[in-house]
């Protein structure tokens, strides 16, 4: 009897998270397919961010990165605040991000490089997995234990150099920074459509509804045990890539 009670205590929450929660996500979550960002004033934007965000902003500028604008993406359940940076003489860009959600707030840094074939390298230190699937046009590597911008940049450059032996770099245009982010999100959303995660119609807010399969696949990567499995895979892959560079 006690064993049955213990099993119920363990299994019922798992059943809810993996079987019922996706149905809630299906009804409430939509994918941003077409976004038009409004640039926000730098001083006001930074004043509203956390100490961690401002420290990273300062460190990037001390490393020679030039601020290129800030904005926010407001989704169904989250708000993603970001700032763009470029480094004179370098083809890459940096993005500093804070995601606020009902569950938690998270700040992370990423370095991105677009190549001549329009593939993208994204090296970041986010400490949670992405719910999105792997995409052939994007290589994303997470190093959540690398908290110093200079160390993360070094990793990024090592991986980029290996890829650049096969594909030329495409220079980042700081003047078009926010527009380039809009285009990248549109390409990513279209890839989710192709993979069956969402429906084709785009509503008046520029968003697409999820398919039933898409809702389950996104949720399973965000809850136990799928989240833990994906995190292990992400970290193993990131370490393997670094060993080869």
């Amino acid at each position: 009897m006690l064993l049955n009670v213990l099993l119920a205590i363990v299994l019922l929450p798992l059943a809810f998270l993996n079987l019922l929660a996706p149905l809630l996500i299906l009804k409430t979550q939509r994918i941003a397919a077409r976004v038009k960002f409004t640039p926000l004033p730098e001083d006001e934007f930074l004043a509203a961010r956390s100490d961690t965000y401002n420290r990273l902003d300062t460190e990037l500028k001390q490393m020679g990165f030039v601020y290129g604008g800030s904005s926010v993406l407001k989704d169904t359940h989250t708000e993603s605040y970001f700032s763009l940076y470029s480094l004179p003489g370098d083809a890459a860009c940096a993005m500093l991000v804070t995601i606020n959600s009902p569950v938690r707030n998270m700040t992370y840094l990423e370095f991105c490089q677009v190549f001549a074939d329009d593939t993208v390298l994204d090296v970041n230190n986010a400490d949670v997995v992405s719910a999105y699937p792997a995409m052939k046009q994007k290589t994303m590597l997470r190093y959540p234990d690398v908290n110093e911008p200079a160390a993360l940049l070094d990793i990024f450059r090592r991986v980029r150099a290996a890829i650049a032996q096969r594909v030329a770099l495409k220079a980042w245009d700081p003047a078009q920074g926010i527009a380039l982010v809009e285009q990248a999100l549109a390409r990513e959303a279209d890839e989710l459509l192709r993979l069956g995660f969402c429906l084709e119609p785009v509503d008046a807010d520029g968003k697409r509804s999820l398919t039933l399969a898409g809702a389950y696949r996104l949720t399973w990567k965000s809850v136990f045990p799928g989240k833990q499995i994906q995190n292990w895979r992400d970290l193993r892959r990131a370490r393997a890539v670094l060993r080869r560079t």
Side-chain angles (χ1 to χ4, degrees):
M1 179 64 178
L2 178 60
L3 179 61
N4 291 339
V5 172
L6 292 175
L7 286 174
I9 291 173
V10 172
L11 296 179
L12 284 177
L14 278 178
F16 172 79
L17 287 174
N18 288 276
L19 298 178
L20 299 181
L23 300 178
L24 178 62
I25 294 299
L26 178 66
K27 291 178 65 68
T28 61
Q29 183 69 40
R30 293 177 295 163
I31 299 295
R34 299 295 180 265
V35 179
K36 188 66 177 176
F37 289 115
T38 300
L40 302 174
E42 180 180 5
D43 291 344
E44 294 178 17
F45 180 87
L46 291 175
R49 305 282 72 78
S50 67
D51 290 344
T52 298
Y53 195 103
N54 278 273
R55 175 182 62 81
L56 292 171
D57 170 83
T58 298
E59 290 187 24
L60 284 171
K61 291 171 180 173
Q62 290 174 343
M63 291 164 59
F65 281 86
V66 178
Y67 176 81
S70 298
S71 193
V72 58
L73 174 62
K74 295 186 177 182
D75 207 346
T76 309
H77 302 292
T78 63
E79 294 182 346
S80 301
Y81 296 87
F82 68 90
S83 299
L84 296 172
Y85 307 82
S86 60
L87 187 62
D90 195 296
C93 79
M95 179 182 289
L96 185 54
V97 184
T98 281
I99 299 178
N100 297 337
S101 75
V103 178
R104 61 169 295 192
N105 297 335
M106 174 180 66
T107 296
Y108 66 92
L109 173 64
E110 62 183 43
F111 294 102
C112 298
Q113 177 65 59
V114 182
F115 295 89
D117 60 358
D118 287 327
T119 57
V120 177
L121 170 65
D122 181 325
V123 173
N124 66 70
N125 61 0
D127 64 358
V128 297
V129 302
S130 170
Y132 282 6
M135 298 183 182
K136 61 181 180 181
Q137 72 270 29
K138 183 176 183 178
T139 298
M140 188 177 75
L141 300 171
R142 289 194 307 116
Y143 299 91
D145 294 331
V146 182
N147 296 314
E148 297 304 318
L152 190 65
L153 178 60
D154 179 66
I155 292 173
F156 165 77
R157 285 176 166 166
R158 287 169 58 184
V159 178
R160 181 179 66 174
I163 299 174
Q165 295 177 11
R166 308 186 307 270
V167 190
L169 309 182
K170 179 183 286 189
W172 176 264
D173 182 359
Q176 297 295 318
I178 287 183
L180 292 173
V181 175
E182 293 171 351
Q183 294 167 22
L185 288 176
R187 287 193 297 271
E188 198 168 77
D190 289 346
E191 181 67 5
L192 290 174
L193 172 65
R194 189 188 71 81
L195 294 172
F197 279 75
C198 51
L199 302 173
E200 185 168 6
V202 177
D203 65 19
D205 295 324
K207 297 181 179 180
R208 290 188 173 117
S209 297
L210 293 171
T211 61
L212 180 61
Y216 272 92
R217 292 168 72 183
L218 290 176
T219 304
W220 286 343
K221 287 185 67 175
S222 302
V223 300
F224 183 87
K227 179 171 69 173
Q228 284 71 20
I229 293 171
Q230 187 59 48
N231 185 60
W232 176 78
R233 288 175 174 171
D234 282 356
L235 300 184
R236 183 182 65 170
R237 179 176 180 241
R239 289 193 296 266
V241 169
L242 201 55
R243 284 195 298 269
R244 296 196 297 267
T245 61

